[in-house]
Amino acid sequence: MNRSPESGPHPTRRTVLRAAATAGVALPVLSACVTGGSDDQDRAAGNTGTKNADNPLGVKADAPLEVVIFKGGYGDEYAKRAETLYTQKYPGAKIDHQGVQKIGEALQPRFVANTPPDVVDNTGASRLDIATLVSAKQVSDLSELLDAPAFDDPSRTVRDTLLPGVVADGTFDTVPLTLNFTYTVWGLWYSKPLFAAKGWTFPTTWDDMLTLCATIKAAGIAPWTYQGKYPEYINDPLLGMAAKTGGPALVKAVDNLEPNAWRAPGLLGAAEAFAELAGKGYLMSGSEALSHTEAQAAWSQGKAAIIPCGSWLESEQKGVTPANFDMVMAPVPARTTADVLKHTAVQAASSESFLVPAKAKNPAGGMEYLRILFSKQSAKAFAETAGTLPAVAGATDGLTLSSGLGSVRDAVRAAGTETFTYRFRTWYAPLAKAVDDATGELVNRRITASQWSDRIQKAADGLAKDSTVKKYTR
C-alpha cells in the first residue's frame, strides 16, 4: 500500500508532517559537530553573478549545482523537472542530482565538514534535526528568495504566491530558513456516494453532527471510527474545534505555554464535545485498538461513516478503497454560534522541507532552484503526478482532480485566510505526547473533559518552568 512519502513505521507520516518546520524524530546532530571545520572558509567565493531583472538572485550561469532530494513516496522526478528548467535557463550549469531515502545519514558528515550540497530536501524519518542546524547557523536566510519575483509571474514575489502559513511554518525567531513544498489539510472524511444514497448532509455545527450520528447509528453503521493506537488523529478535530471557538488567540496561548491556556473555554468545550461523542456510543466499538491502516480499512469498507485524517488519506488508501467510494474531506463543525472563526476554517500546514545550507558552494543557485521549484508551472506538474496539494496558490487551477484532492482544494479555497495550525507538537514533543495520551483516555471515557484539561495544563506548566528546554513564541 502507498502509505506516505516518508517511509518507515507509523507514526512517521504524521510526525514528519507535524515536524516539517521544526525538530521532531530526526537524526540527531550534535551542535559541537555541525560547527566543525573552518568557519572562515567562503565556499561560495566566485560563485555569484550580477543581479538584474532576469537574474534577481545573482546566479553565476556556469556554476555547478548540487541538489539532494528525499526520494520517498513522491519520488524525485518532480525535482528533476525543476532541474530541467534550471538548465534551460543556465545551460552552462552542471547539476549533480542525488535522490536518497536517509537524508540525515547521507548529509550529517558533510554538514560536520562544512561541505554541504547547495539545496536539500530535508524530509523523511532520518532527516537532519533542523532545530540543531538552525542554532548552529548552518541554514541560509531565505528572505531574498521570498522577496524575489516569482519565476513565472514577475509581477508577484515568491512570498505572494504561497498558500497561507507556508512562510511561517519555516520561520525561526522571525527568520525564514526553510520552505515547504507540499500542503497538508486536516479534516473529517466521508464517502460522498454513501451520504447521497442515505440522504445525509454533512453538518456544519456540532449539534447537527450529533443528530446525524444518531441517524447513522440507527441505520446500522458506526458514525465514527479513528486510528485508536495513535490518538493524535482524533486530536486534530478536537483541537480544530477549539481553534474555531477561541480563534488565533487560543492557538497562540497554547503554543506559547501561557498559564491556563488548556483551561480556555474553547478547549474545554471541545473536550466536552468529544466526550459526548464517545459517551453516546458514536465511536465504532474497538476503535481504540486499531492502527491507522485498520481503522481506515474499516471505514472504507462501510463499517463507519466518518474518520478524521489529513489530506494524505486518499493516496494512502489507494488499492484498499473500493471503486466509486469517492471520499471527500469536510471541515470540523463549529461548536458554538459565537465562534471566532467560521466553520469553513481548516487546520493546514506545509511539509516537504527545503533548505539552502549556509556553507553551500552555490547558495545563489540553490535559491534559484527553489524559485523554479516553487513556480506555478512546477507545482502544477507535481499536483498532476503526486495527487497532493502543493504549497503554491493556484497550482491546481484547471486540473481535473480526484474526489479527495478536489475536496481538499475546495476546503482551502473556502477557508481563505482562516487557516490555522498549532506549533506545540513540533516544538515540544513531551507536550504532544501528553495531549495524545489524555485524548485517548478522554474518548475512551476514562477521564472527564475537566481532567483532560488539567492533565495537559500540568504538562505544559512543567515545560514552561524547565529552563533546559528552548522556548519558541509566535
Side-chain angles (χ1 to χ4, degrees):
M1 185 178 72
N2 181 17
R3 280 190 49 223
S4 70
E6 295 82 17
S7 58
H10 192 83
T12 298
R13 171 69 169 181
R14 292 278 281 117
T15 307
V16 171
L17 287 169
R18 291 296 196 196
T22 53
V25 287
L27 185 70
V29 184
L30 301 178
S31 297
C33 292
V34 293
T35 55
S38 172
D39 291 332
D40 297 328
Q41 181 184 11
D42 184 4
R43 297 185 69 230
N47 277 344
T48 56
T50 302
K51 295 181 180 180
N52 53 50
D54 189 52
N55 186 8
L57 296 171
V59 176
K60 184 180 180 183
D62 61 352
L65 180 71
E66 185 180 3
V67 180
V68 177
I69 301 295
F70 171 64
K71 192 172 182 179
Y74 297 141
D76 60 351
E77 288 301 317
Y78 75 97
K80 292 179 180 178
R81 285 193 294 269
E83 291 163 14
T84 298
L85 293 174
Y86 187 99
T87 54
Q88 286 175 355
K89 183 169 183 179
Y90 306 102
K94 181 180 179 181
I95 295 181
D96 177 4
H97 171 99
Q98 300 168 49
V100 301
Q101 291 190 343
K102 296 182 177 181
I103 291 291
E105 291 180 18
L107 296 185
Q108 178 170 324
R110 297 187 57 185
F111 274 90
V112 170
N114 283 331
T115 58
D118 300 311
V119 63
V120 178
D121 172 11
N122 187 38
T123 309
S126 66
R127 70 195 179 284
L128 293 157
D129 184 341
I130 183 63
T132 302
L133 290 178
V134 169
S135 65
K137 303 186 183 304
Q138 289 276 6
V139 189
S140 295
D141 182 345
L142 298 181
S143 297
E144 186 177 11
L145 164 65
L146 292 169
D147 294 332
F151 184 73
D152 45 12
D153 185 2
S155 66
R156 305 172 71 197
T157 65
V158 172
R159 186 189 304 270
D160 292 337
T161 66
L162 302 175
L163 288 171
V166 174
V167 174
D169 286 341
T171 297
F172 295 78
D173 294 331
T174 75
V175 182
L177 298 175
T178 67
L179 197 55
N180 300 339
F181 188 58
T182 62
Y183 203 68
T184 301
V185 184
W186 286 266
L188 301 175
W189 292 78
Y190 64 98
S191 167
K192 190 173 182 179
L194 172 64
F195 270 56
K198 299 290 187 180
W200 301 335
T201 300
F202 200 88
T204 59
T205 70
W206 193 249
D207 286 344
D208 287 344
M209 170 61 80
L210 295 177
T211 300
L212 174 63
C213 286
T215 301
I216 294 173
K217 188 174 182 180
I221 303 172
W224 283 54
T225 188
Y226 77 105
Q227 305 82 341
K229 287 185 177 180
Y230 313 107
E232 60 184 294
Y233 279 89
I234 205 163
N235 269 331
D236 291 316
L238 190 161
L239 296 180
M241 178 183 290
K244 293 182 183 187
T245 299
L250 181 148
V251 177
K252 183 177 179 180
V254 164
D255 287 343
N256 290 349
L257 303 178
E258 293 182 11
N260 292 316
W262 287 92
R263 296 190 178 101
L267 280 160
L268 189 58
E272 290 170 346
F274 278 79
E276 186 175 14
L277 185 77
K280 289 181 177 293
Y282 293 155
L283 290 175
M284 187 179 77
S285 178
S287 291
E288 180 183 15
L290 300 180
S291 68
H292 65 299
T293 54
E294 291 167 339
Q296 290 160 196
W299 168 72
S300 64
Q301 292 161 7
K303 296 178 182 178
I306 298 168
I307 192 168
C309 200
S311 53
W312 63 83
L313 179 63
E314 185 178 43
S315 175
E316 191 168 71
Q317 288 298 100
K318 282 182 179 178
V320 176
T321 306
N324 303 316
F325 187 81
D326 290 347
M327 67 178 71
V328 291
M329 191 198 78
V332 179
R335 171 65 167 164
T336 78
T337 57
D339 281 2
V340 175
L341 301 179
K342 297 189 291 291
H343 88 273
T344 51
V346 292
Q347 183 174 354
S350 56
S351 57
E352 201 78 16
S353 184
F354 283 80
L355 59 88
V356 175
K359 300 290 185 178
K361 195 170 185 178
N362 184 8
M367 291 194 193
E368 177 73 350
Y369 171 79
L370 292 182
R371 190 170 76 103
I372 294 170
L373 180 67
F374 282 78
S375 68
K376 194 170 182 178
Q377 175 185 352
S378 176
K380 185 173 184 177
F382 173 80
E384 287 181 300
T385 58
T388 297
L389 197 66
V392 179
T396 58
D397 291 352
L399 298 181
T400 300
L401 303 180
S402 62
S403 61
L405 184 56
S407 70
V408 172
R409 176 200 60 193
D410 293 345
V412 172
R413 286 178 174 173
T417 59
E418 290 194 342
T419 63
F420 59 89
T421 188
Y422 292 85
R423 303 294 293 277
F424 76 88
R425 180 169 293 279
T426 51
W427 289 346
Y428 311 114
L431 179 57
K433 187 177 187 306
V435 177
D436 293 347
D437 292 346
T439 299
E441 295 292 282
L442 175 76
V443 297
N444 286 287
R445 305 171 64 184
R446 291 190 285 268
I447 61 173
T448 66
S450 179
Q451 290 169 330
W452 175 90
S453 177
D454 288 343
R455 277 180 55 159
I456 299 172
Q457 189 59 56
K458 183 178 180 180
D461 290 344
L463 272 172
K465 295 173 183 176
D466 189 343
S467 61
T468 67
V469 176
K470 177 175 173 55
K471 308 301 192 300
Y472 294 92
T473 58
R474 58 184 300 175

